[in-house]
């Protein structure tokens, strides 16, 4: 269930209530006349089955409430109510499969913004990956996977392509480009300092690395794994239920390659430098392609989405 709060101009409240009353997925409905001060108007509250939210949002936008009112939603974790159970049974489809496109676009737009937090996490993840390469440590690779924040920016590119949101597409591309450039440059500086201090040598990354050698040697499986990871990530993004390990699975295909690239750059290993760059490019392209394909399939099998402005 989701809780809906609408601020409506008084002259349109009757239409808002009629829209919600006609929706089979609405479990509860309440109106508080004149309760809103900014913007002035009535407050309308409703609990709605997730499957019905997209249609209700479309109707509210058709009434122009996003211009001179407000529309807000929040997830209801627990609803102890026979009415809620009836609404969920009456709403078509399965709640876990319902995609609220407004939620997807807003989430990716907000989280894909370039920020100090994003840069910090990506830099730390890339540095951990570089250390993992030097030590040939699978444990540190997993640590880098956990910390890496880059998937939402990749997802923003896919969402921008599917929904024709040029601004969202540009945001995702800019965040990825600047984020990886800063992370790789910063990690390279640290590797140069470590090399000058005698902590790392070229021999350490040139030697056989059974646990991390895959990072700089792309092959046909690199694309396949990244494509599967992209599907998993997008499904997690659009579904109402997601596993915390999905982000870990996604990051394995990107951050370690960036770390290996930084280490190779600092140590002057052109072979590993080229291989890491190819691995990073293949992985990101595969994730975006998987995201686009998954989102288009979800739009095709679900209800047509309304236009979304960001």
């Amino acid at each position: 269930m989701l809780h809906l709060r609408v601020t409506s101009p008084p002259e349109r409240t009757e239409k808002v209530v009629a829209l919600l009353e006609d929706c089979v997925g609405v479990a509860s409905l309440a109106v508080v006349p004149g309760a809103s001060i900014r913007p002035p108007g009535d407050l309308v509250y409703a609990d709605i089955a997730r499957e019905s939210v997209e249609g209700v949002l479309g109707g509210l936008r058709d009434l122009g409430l996003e211009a001179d009112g407000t529309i807000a939603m929040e997830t209801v974790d627990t609803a102890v109510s026979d009415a809620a159970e009836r609404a969920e049974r009456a709403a078509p489809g399965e709640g876990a499969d319902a995609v609220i496109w407004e939620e997807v676009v807003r989430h990716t737009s907000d989280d894909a913004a370039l920020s100090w937090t994003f840069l910090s996490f990506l830099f730390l993840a890339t540095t951990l990956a570089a250390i993992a390469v030097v030590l040939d440590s699978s444990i540190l690779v997993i640590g880098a996977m956990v910390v890496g924040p880059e998937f939402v920016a990749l997802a923003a590119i896919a969402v921008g392509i599917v929904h024709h949101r040029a601004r969202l597409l540009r945001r995702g591309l800019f965040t990825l480009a600047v984020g990886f450039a800063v992370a790789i440059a910063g990690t390279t500086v640290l590797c140069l300092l470590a090399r000058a201090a005698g902590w790392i040598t070229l021999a350490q990354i040139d030697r056989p690395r059974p646990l991390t050698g895959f990072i700089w040697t792309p092959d046909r499986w690199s694309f396949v794994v990244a494509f599967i990871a992209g599907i998993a990530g997008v499904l997690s993004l659009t579904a109402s239920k997601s596993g915390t390990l999905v982000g870990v699975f996604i990051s394995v295909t990107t951050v370690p390659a960036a770390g290996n690239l930084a280490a190779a750059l600092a140590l002057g290993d052109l072979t590993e430098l080229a291989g890491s760059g190819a691995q990073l490019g293949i992985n990101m392209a595969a994730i975006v392609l998987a995201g686009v394909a998954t989102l288009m399939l979800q739009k095709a099998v679900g209800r047509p989405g309304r236009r979304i402005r960001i």
Side-chain angles (χ1 to χ4, degrees), residues 44 46 106 147 179 199 242 256 285:
V44 181
R106 301 286 175 178
V147 177
W199 286 22
S242 61

Side-chain angles (χ1 to χ4, degrees), residues 26-282:
V26 172
S28 62
L29 178 60
V31 180
V32 186
S36 179
I37 297 175
R38 183 185 302 172
D42 305 327
L43 287 179
V44 181
Y45 298 100
D47 291 325
I48 310 175
R50 183 179 177 88
E51 305 92 305
S52 299
V53 169
E54 186 70 13
V56 168
L57 286 178
L60 294 174
R61 284 193 294 267
D62 288 342
L63 293 175
L65 293 180
E66 59 184 36
D68 51 7
T70 62
I71 305 170
M73 294 185 304
E74 59 184 9
T75 302
V76 178
D77 293 328
T78 304
V80 183
S81 165
D82 290 343
E85 293 182 4
R86 288 194 297 269
E88 289 180 336
R89 287 195 299 267
E94 184 64 37
D97 296 332
V99 179
I100 304 174
W101 293 112
E102 184 78 36
E103 182 181 60
V104 172
V105 172
R106 301 286 175 178
H107 175 67
T108 52
S109 178
D110 292 342
D111 289 357
L114 185 65
S115 64
W116 287 111
T117 300
F118 181 93
L119 290 173
S120 298
F121 275 114
L122 191 56
F123 167 66
L124 292 172
T126 305
T127 301
L128 280 174
I131 297 173
V133 166
V134 173
L135 301 180
D136 193 30
S137 170
S138 59
I139 294 176
L140 289 179
V141 169
I142 294 173
M145 289 188 270
V146 174
V147 177
E150 74 287 354
F151 174 69
V152 177
L154 290 165
I157 296 173
V159 173
I161 292 172
V162 172
H163 281 279
H164 308 291
R165 302 288 95 192
R167 180 182 173 188
L168 185 57
L169 174 61
R170 288 195 300 269
R171 174 173 289 186
L173 289 170
F174 179 76
T175 297
L176 277 179
V178 175
F180 272 109
V182 170
I184 291 172
T187 303
T188 301
V189 170
L190 293 181
C191 289
L192 287 171
L193 293 175
R195 183 182 186 182
W199 286 22
I200 61 175
T201 63
L202 179 60
Q204 286 178 293
I205 66 170
D206 273 347
R207 76 185 192 280
R209 303 199 320 261
L211 299 180
T212 59
F214 71 95
I215 294 173
W216 69 277
T217 53
D219 56 21
R220 69 187 72 179
W221 292 107
S222 301
F223 182 89
V224 172
V225 170
F227 196 85
I228 294 173
I231 295 174
V234 169
L235 288 176
S236 173
L237 181 68
T238 58
S240 61
K241 300 176 182 178
S242 61
T244 56
L245 291 180
V246 171
V248 178
F249 183 39
I250 295 300
S251 295
V252 70
T253 61
T254 50
V255 165
N260 200 108
L261 191 154
L265 185 62
L267 296 171
D269 191 325
L270 298 182
T271 301
E272 290 213 13
L273 178 66
S276 300
Q279 182 78 278
L280 182 61
I282 290 171

Side-chain angles (χ1 to χ4, degrees), residues 4-6 8 13 16-17 20 29-32 42-46:
L4 175 71
R5 185 185 73 249
V6 177
S8 170
T13 301
V16 173
V17 172
L20 293 170
L29 178 60
V31 180
V32 186
D42 305 327
L43 287 179
V44 181
Y45 298 100

